[in-house]
């Protein structure tokens, strides 16, 4: 399809990258599954958390399209076409979309906090509420600064760390805390699991683009480690993610339910086998959505089974 025949709506949908959304929702579903195991959940809070996450993920995708586009990193890329780099959406238009999406994320986040903390000035709530507000601002900043600006952390090998923090500990642990207002030490396990799977998706993307990224001065982990060690790094991410989730399911759920919740391990073992057989960079493309959807499937199953826990 030629660029000129892509409709504006299709261009913006492509820039929003819908295939990344299930991965973003996985951390929220897993966090709420934990909340149901520890206590109970509010459906309105769950819905608003998902909505806020939706805006943050779209913001991140818009910013990534803009940042890599204006830096020339997306020129002649192997993966899906990017809108700014191809000229379909101008940098000015994308900056406006980023501003609008950031405002929507902020408004949705504030409404979420109002709903979760109806008495914000209570002694036990005010510091938790303040922490969430600061974390929300940091999440917006992190979504933008991954590829935007001279000091974009995605160009310095720090993308994996920030994905682990925001998709893992903030996404899973934060969404559980919103529901329960309590921290359980075991939440670190599902947080680590979803965070590591999310880093795995990013690493697949970066392994695919490592040659062009290096030429553009974007030093991701695969660029730093090289192809062979990046593959070992990937397998370690997935293996540790599986182990963390298995331990959590077996320790926090009744035995039969816990074993049932571990069935998606089969999907991740298959993903590990598939990535090991890759011979050319373009072959990484179908593996990204597969790993993202495997993570989403596991989070849905854990969420459903936690209802009957």
């Amino acid at each position: 399809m030629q660029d000129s025949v892509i409709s504006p709506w299709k261009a913006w949908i492509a820039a929003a990258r819908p295939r990344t959304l299930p991965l973003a929702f996985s951390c929220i579903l897993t966090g709420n599954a934990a909340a149901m195991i520890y206590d109970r959940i509010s459906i309105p809070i769950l819905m608003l958390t998902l909505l806020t996450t939706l805006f943050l993920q779209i913001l991140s995708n818009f910013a990534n399209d803009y940042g890599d586009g204006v830096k020339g990193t997306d020129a002649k890329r192997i993966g899906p076409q990017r809108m700014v780099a191809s000229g379909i959406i101008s940098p000015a238009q994308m900056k406006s979309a980023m501003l609008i999406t950031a405002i929507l994320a902020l408004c949705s986040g504030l409404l979420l906090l109002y709903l979760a903390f109806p008495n914000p000035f209570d002694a036990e709530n005010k510091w938790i509420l303040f922490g969430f507000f600061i974390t929300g601002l940091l999440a917006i900043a992190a979504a933008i600064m991954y590829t935007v600006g001279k000091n974009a952390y995605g160009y310095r090998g720090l993308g994996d760390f920030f994905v682990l923090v925001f998709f893992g500990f903030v996404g899973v642990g934060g969404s559980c805390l919103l529901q329960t207002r309590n921290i359980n030490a075991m939440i670190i396990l599902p947080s680590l699991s979803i965070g590591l799977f999310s880093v795995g998706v990013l690493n697949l993307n970066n392994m695919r683009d490592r040659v062009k990224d290096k030429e553009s001065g974007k030093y991701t982990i695969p660029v730093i480690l090289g192809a062979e060690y990046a593959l070992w790094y990937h397998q370690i991410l997935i293996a540790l993610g599986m182990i963390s989730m298995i331990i959590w399911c077996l320790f926090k759920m009744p035995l039969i339910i816990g074993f049932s919740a571990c069935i998606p391990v089969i999907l991740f073992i298959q993903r590990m086998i598939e990535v090991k057989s890759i011979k050319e960079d373009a072959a990484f493309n179908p593996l990204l959505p597969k790993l993202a959807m495997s993570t989403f499937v596991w989070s849905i199953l854990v969420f459903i089974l936690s209802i009957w826990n």
Side-chain angles (χ1 to χ4, degrees):
M1 180 181 292
Q2 299 296 317
D3 294 351
S4 58
V5 300
I6 297 180
S7 69
W9 279 110
K10 287 184 178 180
W12 284 109
I13 291 173
R17 306 181 197 179
R19 291 195 303 178
T20 66
L21 299 181
L23 186 64
F25 292 153
S26 296
C27 58
I28 306 304
L29 292 175
T30 304
N32 278 267
M36 280 193 284
I37 291 173
Y38 302 141
D39 192 5
R40 57 189 175 85
I41 68 169
S42 162
I43 297 301
I45 290 177
L46 169 60
M47 293 296 104
L48 264 177
T49 309
L50 289 170
L51 181 63
T52 305
T53 302
L54 171 67
F55 289 138
L56 286 171
Q57 185 60 44
I58 292 175
L59 171 62
S60 177
N61 293 338
F62 283 169
N64 185 265
D65 196 303
Y66 172 82
D68 281 343
V70 298
K71 288 182 171 70
T73 309
D74 280 340
K76 298 180 180 179
R77 69 192 311 274
I78 297 172
Q81 183 183 41
R82 296 304 181 216
M83 298 299 105
V84 171
S86 63
I88 298 172
I89 295 175
S90 72
Q93 289 174 319
M94 189 61 79
K95 285 179 71 174
S96 297
M98 289 164 54
L99 177 60
I100 292 170
T101 312
I103 292 172
L104 289 173
L106 180 60
C107 292
S108 178
L110 289 174
L111 182 59
L112 171 61
L113 292 179
Y114 175 78
L115 192 64
F117 300 95
N119 299 307
F121 297 108
D122 283 358
E124 69 174 297
N125 288 337
K126 62 181 181 181
W127 291 113
I128 299 177
L129 180 62
F130 179 74
F132 269 115
F133 179 72
I134 297 301
T135 302
L137 293 180
L138 290 175
I140 292 174
I144 295 172
M145 294 175 64
Y146 175 58
T147 60
V148 175
K150 294 181 180 180
N151 296 313
Y153 62 84
Y155 281 68
R156 299 170 180 265
L158 295 174
D160 296 47
F161 171 76
F162 280 89
V163 166
L164 177 62
V165 169
F166 284 100
F167 278 75
F169 300 110
V170 173
V172 178
S175 58
C176 180
L177 181 59
L178 276 171
Q179 295 281 8
T180 65
R181 299 185 184 85
N182 288 305
I183 289 290
N184 186 295
M186 288 289 284
I187 196 65
I188 193 173
L189 290 173
S191 298
L192 186 63
S193 179
I194 299 299
L196 290 172
F197 293 152
S198 301
V199 174
V201 174
L202 176 63
N203 190 59
L204 286 174
N205 180 86
N206 291 339
M207 282 197 287
R208 179 197 65 199
D209 295 338
R210 70 187 183 281
V211 175
K212 293 296 181 183
D213 283 346
K214 186 175 182 179
E215 293 174 357
S216 303
K218 185 177 183 180
Y219 286 90
T220 61
I221 296 299
V223 171
I224 296 169
L225 295 179
E228 182 179 355
Y229 287 109
L231 176 59
W232 279 105
Y233 170 66
H234 182 81
Q235 303 293 52
I236 291 170
L237 290 173
I238 304 306
L240 290 178
M242 288 192 296
I243 292 169
S244 298
M245 186 66 85
I246 289 170
I247 293 173
W248 182 70
C249 289
L250 295 181
F251 271 81
K252 298 306 295 184
M253 297 179 175
L255 194 59
I256 299 299
I257 296 178
F259 272 112
S260 299
C262 293
I263 291 175
V265 164
I266 299 170
L267 297 175
F268 287 87
I269 293 174
Q270 186 177 358
R271 302 291 84 82
M272 293 176 74
I273 294 171
E274 288 171 344
V275 75
K276 193 174 181 180
S277 65
I278 293 297
K279 302 298 182 185
E280 55 185 31
D281 294 342
F284 283 111
N285 277 328
L287 298 189
L288 275 77
K290 281 186 178 182
L291 181 54
M293 286 306 300
S294 297
T295 306
F296 189 51
V297 167
W298 204 343
S299 68
I300 289 177
L301 180 61
V302 167
F303 181 81
I304 292 173
L305 289 177
S306 66
I307 297 173
W308 288 281
N309 182 62

